[in-house]
């Protein structure tokens, strides 16, 4: 995936419906990767520490972050902290740099 449209199409397919919180998570994830200077994870190159809670929109936001960053629950590189915020920390696993 290279363009925002490609990321959005994959995110919509992954998430299952149009949702503003998912789109916000997608944009936030892409911005975090740009700021950190990293590429989308193929395996465990990135770690996401999610500060979201259990609400519907929190899950939608996190779906967008996972599509953008490539970090997923299945790979074990997403940690949910349950702070009930729409926020996350992206960490480069190789350097430990957030």
């Amino acid at each position: 995936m290279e363009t925002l449209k490609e990321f959005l199409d994959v995110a919509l397919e992954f998430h299952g419906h149009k949702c503003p919180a998912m789109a916000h998570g997608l944009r936030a994830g892409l911005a975090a990767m740009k700021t950190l200077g990293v590429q989308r994870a193929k395996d465990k190159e990135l770690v996401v520490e999610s500060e979201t809670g259990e609400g519907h929109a929190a899950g939608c936001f996190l779906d967008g972050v996972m599509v953008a960053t490539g970090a997923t629950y299945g790979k074990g590189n997403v940690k949910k902290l349950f702070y009930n915020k729409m926020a996350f920390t992206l960490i480069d696993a190789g350097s430990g740099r957030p």
Side-chain angles (χ1 to χ4, degrees):
M1 294 177 283
E2 294 184 21
T3 68
L4 183 56
K5 172 81 167 96
E6 290 171 323
F7 273 100
L8 184 58
D9 288 345
V10 170
L12 287 170
E13 181 70 25
F14 176 76
H15 187 61
H17 64 273
K18 289 184 179 180
C19 174
M22 184 277 297
H24 287 298
L26 180 66
R27 297 292 299 255
L30 293 171
M33 289 191 317
K34 183 176 181 180
T35 299
L36 195 54
V38 296
Q39 298 296 313
R40 187 174 190 271
K42 291 182 174 76
D43 192 23
K44 296 185 178 192
E45 300 88 354
L46 300 175
V47 174
V48 168
E49 291 182 349
S50 170
E51 299 180 25
T52 58
E54 295 182 7
H56 176 81
C60 299
F61 179 83
L62 188 52
D63 276 356
V65 171
M66 287 191 293
V67 169
T69 64
T72 66
Y73 281 116
K75 288 188 257 181
N77 53 347
V78 173
K79 299 172 185 171
K80 201 162 185 184
L81 303 175
F82 297 100
Y83 294 160
N84 294 315
K85 296 189 224 174
M86 296 294 246
F88 66 98
T89 300
L90 183 64
I91 301 166
D92 178 346
S95 68
R97 189 172 53 106

